[in-house]
Every structure is written in C-alpha cells, then in structure tokens.
Amino acid sequence: MTINDYKFAGKKAIVRVDFNVPLDENGKITDDTRIRGALPTLKKVLDEGGSLIIMSHMGKPKGKVNPKMSLSQIKDAVAEKLGTPVIFVDDCMKADAQAAALKPGEVILLENLRFYPEEEGKPVGIDKEDPAYDEAKKAMKASQKDFAKHLASYADCYVMDAFGTAHRKHASTAVIADYFDADNKMLGLLMEKEVQAVDNVLSDIKRPFVAIMGGSKVSSKIGIIENLLGKVDKLILCGGMTYTFMKAHGGEIGNSIVELDKLDVALGVEELAKKNGVELVLASDSIIADKFANDAQQKICPSNAIPEGWEGLDVGPETQERFKAAIRDAKTILWNGPAGVFEFDNFCAGSRAVGDAVAEATANGAFSLVGGGDSVACVHKFGLEDKVSYISTGGGALLEAIEGKVLPGIAAIKG
Ligand code: AMP
C-alpha cells in the first residue's frame, strides 16, 4: 500500500517517527528538524479524518526507564506543531484503553519505546561472551514479537516514517509490520522522499559524481567509502580521517586524531581508488592548533608535517581551493561529514568551503544530497538549507541505503 492511496478516514494509524531530537539540560528542544520532517505524514492522517498513535525512541536508554529521555518533554511541541492536543501515555505497553477510545482527529504519543529492551531486541545485562547469551537472545526475540504485536493491536494500519532508524530491525521499525496485511502498512511521506533522494543519486547517475566524506574516523565509514569507490568519479576524504592516510605514508601528524590500526585500510582505499580510476582528493595542507579548542593558536602546515604538540583541526587554504575545484563541476554530489571541527568557529573554514562549493554546483544543475547529523548541522550553520537539493534525516540509514543495502524498515513493508 502507498500512503497516497490509503483512506485514513475513520482509521487509527500507528506511525513510527523519529522524534529523537536533541534537548538541552532543561529538556528544551534545540533542533526540531526531525519533528518537522514527520509533520506531512502526521497531518495527512489527521486531515483525512484518521487518528494517530505516534511512537518513537529518544536517545539510548538501553531498555530502562530514564526520565531524561522521556518523550513527555516534547509532547507540547508536537501538539503545537500539529495544532491539536496530544494525549501522552507514559508506558508504551499500556495504551490499550486510550487507543480503544481514540476518535478521528485525536492523537496519542507513546512514551519512549526504548524504555523496553524488546524495542531493540537485544538482551540486557548479559555479556555477548556469556554461554547463556544465545538462549537469552532467542528469548528476547520471542518477547520482541509480543511487544510488536501489542503495539500493532492499538491500530488499524501501520505507517513507517522514521528514516533515521530504518536501517535497524527493531520492533517498531520492522517487526510490527508482520502484524498488518499488505493493504494496511505503508511508508510515510518522509520515507518516500528519502528513498527518492537516494534513488536520484544511484540510478541514472549524472557525472561527474563527487562524494565528500568527512568526520572523525575512517573506521565508521569504510564500508561506504569502499562502496563509493565503485560509483564515483572523485572522492574527497577530509576531517579527522585525513591523518590516518598521512600516517599510513609515514607522515608526521603531531597530536592529530588517528586510527593506528587502520593504516592498512587507508592504503587499501588508495589502491582501490587507483584501480577503479577514481580521483581521491585528500587534504594537502591543514589548519593546525596547539590544543583542541576554538581559542587555540593556529598555523597552516602540510598535512603530513605537523609538529609535535599540534593537531590538525581543519583543512588548509590550498586544500579548500582544491576541494572547491573538485566539487564545482559535479553533477551529482553526496556529502557526509564535516571537513574539520566545524563546531569551533575558528576551524570551520574548510567545511564552509565545501558547503559553498556544493551550493554553487547545485545552482549549476547538480543534484546534491547531504546526510548525516554533522553535515546537516554544517548546512544549517552556514545557512545553505535552500541551496542544496536534499537534506536527509538519516545518518547510518542514508549511508546503508547508498551502499545499496536493503533497509529492514523498508523491506518490512515492501517485502
Ligand atoms: P562523524 O561522527 O564521524 O561524522 O564525525 C563528526 C565529527 O568529526 C565532528 O564533530 C567534527 O568536529 C569531527 N572532526 C572533523 N574533523 C576533525 C579533526 N580534524 N579532528 C578531530 N575531529 C574532527
């Protein structure tokens, strides 16, 4: 079923959204992008005369109740954005009466699903090495099914709209779909948009295709990097991972962030790039700092000749120009991860240069997809929201989708 074909009038829809929004120490939302992302689906259900049971996770409470991660903190914001009151149920397994009484136009918000270990389906309090682990996992998988079935019992139909967690086979993102027939389960509007954006990048690629991968570590992105080497024309690798590449060639990197056990991985990436004819672009110069702080002293030096006591926190001016030149004529762009420690205003020039070049290429007709929490934060910091083609709400999910993996949250609906 598709959301545009479904008739929500008189139906109760249980909708998995991603309301995992950042909160400050007073429980105030600091970035409501994810809530806004879910609104089109939620409003569609209400506008058509349906009712809503909204479910989400927040943070990593690891199967235990934790008031700091209670969705009650965002109830008022959700009500305000939907323009209607929200009934908050403080235990997601105890909403039977409220769900049964739900009338068209009414909204229930369930408490954080991850207060129950069944949501993620991982046994808690037992080590993976423990001989009893496999048994515990089997038992947990069984109770995960019961948990999902209980959630399903609240509603007539299921809508999956949490792209950020679509790469997880959790109770609410995948298992629950087993308890609805094909005519009563569907992807939400946000999911459809995200899937379309990935499709724009992967099918009928307009070339040159340039990917920019930044962030702190090679290890967390190696899967996607290797995969992209089979697709892109140019791959820009920046951020902290620069120094693992420099070190792999015997460079001096001072105190820069490095993964010493990944030097061979870095060399493997270079080899694969050469074999596939992909132009690999690394930072030749760096902006270095005498401490990890915005007010650190700074200097510019070659990325492979960083003095002791100094660390590379951003790409240097020569590299910024090289990155811009590499991005400028692109027709397809994927950007994941900042070029430097962009959170520090004094070390965000590299990320800004990348953002500006992506915006320029987009203005010249490129399709640009930006995803992963930090690059999205960059786009906001530099005010480029309207100058890139699509900002994904997914980090890991986006990368797995680009790798061509079938996301469990999508497979559960589409089979
Ligand atoms: P990731 O979560 O792997 O995408 O990494 C994002 C983080 O990488 C951001 O918080 C950046 O501040 C950080 N980062 C980027 N460049 C560097 C660098 N040269 N040294 C240390 N951290 C960095």
Side-chain angles (χ1 to χ4, degrees):
M1 178 52 72
T2 73
I3 186 162
N4 285 319
D5 291 327
Y6 195 78
K7 305 275 175 275
F8 286 102
K11 301 282 191 204
K12 295 173 188 172
I14 188 157
V15 186
R16 175 56 156 105
V17 296
D18 182 1
F19 280 174
N20 182 27
V21 290
L23 303 175
D24 66 15
E25 58 281 5
N26 302 316
K28 248 188 94 198
I29 300 169
T30 55
D31 179 356
D32 66 357
T33 309
R34 287 178 172 154
I35 299 181
R36 284 188 282 115
L39 288 180
T41 291
L42 301 178
K43 285 191 166 159
K44 181 175 170 57
V45 174
L46 294 179
D47 288 350
E48 290 184 13
S51 53
L52 285 170
I53 298 136
I54 306 173
M55 57 178 175
S56 177
H57 76 285
M58 177 180 272
K60 293 182 176 160
K62 304 222 161 98
K64 289 203 190 81
V65 174
N66 181 337
K68 285 202 176 119
M69 298 173 199
S70 172
L71 286 170
S72 61
Q73 299 168 99
I74 68 162
K75 176 193 142 182
D76 291 345
V78 175
E80 190 202 314
K81 288 191 166 57
L82 284 176
T84 191
V86 167
I87 304 159
F88 182 72
V89 180
D90 67 2
D91 181 334
C92 69
M93 286 288 99
K94 294 195 176 135
D96 305 77
Q98 292 93 334
L102 203 63
K103 302 216 173 46
E106 291 184 344
V107 182
I108 288 175
L109 173 64
L110 300 179
E111 180 57 290
N112 193 342
L113 299 163
R114 289 193 189 167
F115 285 179
Y116 280 87
E118 283 81 0
E119 166 60 2
E120 293 183 78
K122 275 189 237 145
V124 278
I126 178 160
D127 201 77
K128 271 196 176 148
E129 310 304 317
D130 194 311
Y133 182 83
D134 284 350
E135 253 336 285
K137 193 164 173 201
K138 227 195 254 167
M140 176 50 79
K141 287 286 167 205
S143 52
Q144 184 183 47
K145 285 188 181 168
D146 294 339
F147 178 84
K149 193 174 175 186
H150 194 150
L151 291 171
S153 73
Y154 298 151
D156 302 304
C157 64
Y158 166 62
V159 185
M160 166 58 181
D161 210 20
F163 184 68
T165 45
H167 59 317
R168 307 278 181 226
K169 194 172 178 200
H170 291 170
S172 66
T173 59
V175 183
I176 188 173
D178 290 346
Y179 301 99
F180 293 92
D181 61 37
D183 291 340
N184 289 301
K185 56 185 168 188
M186 66 214 85
L187 299 179
L189 296 170
L190 176 65
M191 282 290 295
E192 285 194 347
K193 246 172 52 179
E194 296 274 4
V195 170
Q196 184 60 50
V198 171
D199 205 50
N200 283 347
V201 167
L202 291 187
S203 61
D204 187 24
I205 298 169
K206 308 259 184 315
R207 295 191 180 274
F209 180 6
V210 178
I212 307 129
M213 302 295 293
S216 53
K217 291 178 178 171
V218 190
S219 54
S220 57
K221 300 203 171 152
I222 185 64
I224 180 81
I225 288 174
E226 285 175 345
N227 191 276
L228 285 171
L229 285 171
K231 298 191 173 91
V232 299
D233 301 292
K234 296 179 200 173
L235 178 62
I236 296 177
L237 293 180
C238 47
M241 64 178 108
T242 306
Y243 306 102
T244 301
F245 284 82
M246 297 300 141
K247 189 76 183 173
H249 289 286
E252 300 293 336
I253 57 163
N255 291 343
S256 305
I257 187 171
V258 65
E259 290 174 284
L260 291 173
D261 59 337
K262 293 289 176 297
L263 303 183
D264 54 335
V265 171
L267 294 175
V269 165
E270 291 182 348
E271 217 163 276
L272 187 60
K274 204 180 282 169
K275 189 170 143 231
N276 291 359
V278 173
E279 186 187 335
L280 193 63
V281 189
L282 286 160
S284 43
D285 63 342
S286 289
I287 304 179
I288 60 170
D290 61 350
K291 59 179 177 181
F292 188 83
N294 187 43
D295 64 355
Q297 274 197 62
Q298 23 173 287
K299 289 202 281 200
I300 292 156
C301 82
S303 300
N304 60 0
I306 300 177
E308 250 339 289
W310 292 73
E311 58 191 299
L313 294 191
D314 198 5
V315 299
E318 175 187 284
T319 301
Q320 290 170 27
E321 289 310 313
R322 288 174 51 237
F323 283 7
K324 282 199 220 164
I327 296 167
R328 204 169 277 140
D329 68 340
K331 286 288 170 263
T332 304
I333 300 172
L334 171 69
W335 178 20
N336 174 273
V341 185
F342 77 102
E343 297 92 333
F344 296 156
D345 287 349
N346 294 333
F347 295 93
C348 73
S351 302
R352 187 187 293 272
V354 168
D356 287 345
V358 171
E360 191 185 328
T362 310
N364 289 331
F367 179 83
S368 53
L369 171 55
V370 185
D374 282 314
S375 20
V376 174
C378 274
V379 165
H380 291 312
K381 179 164 179 145
F382 307 136
L384 300 172
E385 294 90 342
D386 298 330
K387 296 184 174 160
V388 298
S389 311
Y390 190 75
I391 301 175
S392 174
T393 56
L398 175 72
L399 297 185
E400 289 195 17
I402 299 267
E403 276 182 59
K405 290 187 186 158
V406 180
L407 304 183
I410 296 177
I413 304 254
K414 298 209 159 170

